[in-house]
Amino acid sequence: MRRFLIVSHKAKGNGDFSLDDLPGAGRMDILAISSSSALFLSHSLRKDVEVWILFSDSVLLRIIGSEAKYLFPDERNMAAAIRNALIRNKAGKKMLPGIYIDSMDLESALKTAAEDSAIYYLKEDGKDAYEVEFHQNSTFVLGDHMDLTEEEESLVKKFNANTISLGKNSLHTYQAIVIVHHILDRRDENAEVSP
């Protein structure tokens, strides 16, 4: 299982944003395209992937690839699915399949992730990811358009996270996710995908 925990620094977990201004909604565009990059292949959905988005107001949205339905890979549709889930949660309504929402801060999210996976923190000055032997169940922690704060980094390190690097250049979150998938896919040519 591959899990991507994206720490959002500006977006709120209340669903109160316009699909016509995703960048103005705390960079919801980054969260949407990163979710899509994590979950989708060209013509299929990755079953072995989870996306966790931790909003700045301690709302954790989880998308479970093996359970997800009615999702589309483009940025606007992914943002609409995220917004819908947040609004439905606020109203106490049923979610789309495979989407869950919890009230959780970063420390709680990391504690939950560490129960069933190794934690990897992506940062430019870490160990070269191409040389790392990854655990079968891995959680990759990334920031959105901003790096993790010193306090957030301290929390990540508290959970024995391995700091790994995809190179010295700063990448967009969705680019880093695609590269992580590429590295792991090349190592596991039998990655499970749904039709």
Side-chain angles (χ1 to χ4, degrees):
M1 179 270 301
R2 302 174 195 173
R3 178 184 294 130
F4 296 92
L5 170 54
I6 306 167
V7 180
S8 171
H9 294 94
K10 300 285 185 185
K12 302 284 184 203
N14 58 15
D16 186 19
F17 62 88
S18 168
L19 293 176
D20 295 325
D21 185 19
L22 296 177
R27 296 310 310 257
M28 189 61 68
D29 56 325
I30 291 172
L31 302 177
I33 197 68
S34 297
S35 299
S36 181
S37 296
L39 290 164
F40 285 93
L41 291 164
S42 181
H43 296 289
S44 58
L45 187 66
R46 291 179 180 268
K47 286 184 167 185
D48 61 342
V49 170
E50 297 180 8
V51 175
W52 291 13
I53 301 172
L54 183 63
F55 291 95
S56 61
D57 49 356
S58 296
V59 172
L60 179 69
L61 180 140
R62 298 179 295 124
I63 305 173
I64 312 301
S66 61
E67 301 174 19
K69 293 182 182 179
Y70 316 118
L71 294 178
F72 299 93
D74 64 284
E75 183 179 307
R76 186 180 176 92
N77 272 303
M78 186 60 73
I82 292 169
R83 183 180 73 168
N84 232 1
L86 295 170
I87 290 170
R88 292 178 80 76
N89 179 62
K90 201 164 56 172
K93 296 183 178 176
K94 188 177 178 184
M95 300 281 132
L96 281 175
I99 299 180
Y100 303 90
I101 297 181
D102 303 292
S103 178
M104 202 174 282
D105 61 11
L106 179 57
E107 185 170 13
S108 300
L110 288 165
K111 184 177 181 181
T112 302
E115 290 173 0
D116 66 356
S117 69
I119 309 289
Y120 299 92
Y121 172 42
L122 277 78
K123 190 171 181 182
E124 292 84 359
D125 62 357
K127 183 176 180 181
D128 187 341
Y130 288 90
E131 298 174 3
V132 173
E133 286 293 324
F134 291 101
H135 191 274
Q136 185 174 354
N137 293 326
S138 299
T139 296
F140 299 93
V141 181
L142 310 95
D144 50 4
H145 63 295
M146 299 169 67
D147 291 336
L148 297 191
T149 65
E150 286 182 18
E151 183 182 344
E152 290 167 339
E153 278 193 5
S154 293
L155 281 174
V156 171
K157 290 174 182 173
K158 178 180 168 183
F159 288 90
N160 299 318
N162 299 290
T163 303
I164 61 170
S165 172
L166 300 174
K168 297 300 177 194
N169 294 323
S170 225
L171 301 172
H172 290 287
T173 304
Y174 75 92
Q175 293 172 323
I177 290 170
V178 169
I179 293 171
V180 167
H181 272 319
H182 173 72
I183 292 169
L184 296 178
D185 285 350
R186 289 296 299 253
R187 293 180 185 179
D188 179 14
E189 293 296 338
N190 298 317
E192 185 181 1
V193 296
S194 64

